[in-house]
Amino acid sequence: MEMDKINVNNMLAIEEPFMKAPLEQLKRSIRQSQKQAERETAQINAAISNMIKNKEMFSAEDMDKALGGFIERLKVLRRKLEEAKQEEAQLISRSRQRAADLNELSSFSSTAQPEFQRWCRTRMERVLIDYMLRNGNVDTAQHLIENGNLEHFADTSLFALVMSTERELRENHSCRSALQWCAENRSALRKVQSALEFELRLQEFVEMARERHVADAIAYSKKHLVAWSSTELPRIQRAMTLLAFSPNTGCSPYKNMFDMSRWDYLANQFRMVIFQLFDLPAQPLLHLLLQTGLSALKTPACISDDPTEHNRNCPVCHLETLGKLAQDLPLSHHVNSNLVCRITGERMNEDNPPMRLPNGYVYSHNSLKEMALKNDGKVKCPRSGQTFKISEAKKLFIS
């Protein structure tokens, strides 16, 4: 049947982050390993060249000691590269597993196939894992991963980095880990024109100003803030003026710069930037999938200020739950209208025809029949409060 046919392209349209995340991690891991190896070998080669050039200044004992140090540094480099190689092998395996999973979708011919139902179940579980990891429910996510053998479908290490860095920013008020990450990904941040590193440096300057360490703050600004003067000069100037104000100042914008809520802002910025670099959506995939369905259900009645207009069986009408996800969605476009009973929420059709009461309100035949059986053949209009005999209801025909 046409309704059972699978639209593979539509289903794959939202799976791009699922494939790109491990590939982006792999690309960055290879690049960092290459840079680390080049930097370390360049330093050792430079030191050896200097020793050869000035060999008369070094005794045999000094050279032997220096060469021993070089060997130890190369051993450390080799160990780090082996660890990176293992991580890269895991990322390659993860990418292959994910590609195979998505490729399996093309082998299904109908939504009724048990294999397709199993595939959808796995997809639902990995969407839930993504949601749990984003919200810090690590233990629950790990339980689901282990039960479903979904290690290759979860970006656990990436979300662990996000959460640990966010925690350090929000709770410990420290930029150390975030700045270290920025140093490792500086070229990528430059490509997306992110000022995250400047924001972190600025916050460290603000903390020095808060503690009234003026000399340290000035030295810090010369070392870390001046480099950003081509794009952030007004903010750097404002930061230097901050040294003249106390932390409890009421003068804006300096009051805002001292505000502790900036730590939450930095944590949110870090999350947004890392998601951008690894091509992850800002919203959980669960929200995106739910909004896809909710957008087809949203009607003017769903957003009406009159509660009586809402349908109790419509998820969009539940403004405190799924309705929140649908707030910014456009209204759906319906070519054919469906009549829904206000009492039961059931669809009205030839098997459950609409019935018009004398006061003009329309309800389904099944709802009025059930009500009449409980009230001696009488029905009460829930909107007007009027009572009528069931025989007074007139059947309407849908054209």
Side-chain angles (χ1 to χ4, degrees), residues 336-379:
N336 298 314
S337 298
N338 294 318
L339 297 180
V340 178
C341 177
R342 183 176 298 277
I343 297 175
T344 63
E346 295 177 350
R347 183 178 174 183
M348 291 184 277
N349 50 33
E350 61 274 9
D351 298 321
N352 184 26
M355 305 292 290
R356 180 184 179 278
L357 295 178
N359 62 359
Y361 289 113
V362 178
Y363 304 100
S364 69
H365 174 268
N366 291 348
S367 65
L368 295 181
K369 181 180 178 181
E370 183 179 351
M371 191 185 301
L373 289 173
K374 296 178 181 178
N375 297 284
D376 298 325
K378 294 182 179 179
V379 294

Side-chain angles (χ1 to χ4, degrees), residues 104-152:
E104 189 180 5
L105 188 60
S106 62
S107 66
F108 305 130
S109 57
S110 169
T111 58
Q113 286 182 258
E115 294 83 0
F116 178 73
Q117 298 298 325
R118 176 195 54 77
W119 188 92
C120 289
R121 174 72 183 181
T122 301
R123 185 196 201 195
M124 182 184 71
E125 288 178 348
R126 61 180 170 84
V127 167
L128 290 174
I129 290 169
D130 171 84
Y131 180 81
M132 292 172 190
L133 290 175
R134 286 171 180 263
N135 288 277
N137 306 116
V138 181
D139 293 339
T140 308
Q142 192 60 40
H143 180 74
L144 194 55
I145 290 169
E146 293 172 358
N147 280 359
N149 193 26
L150 301 174
E151 289 80 5
H152 289 294

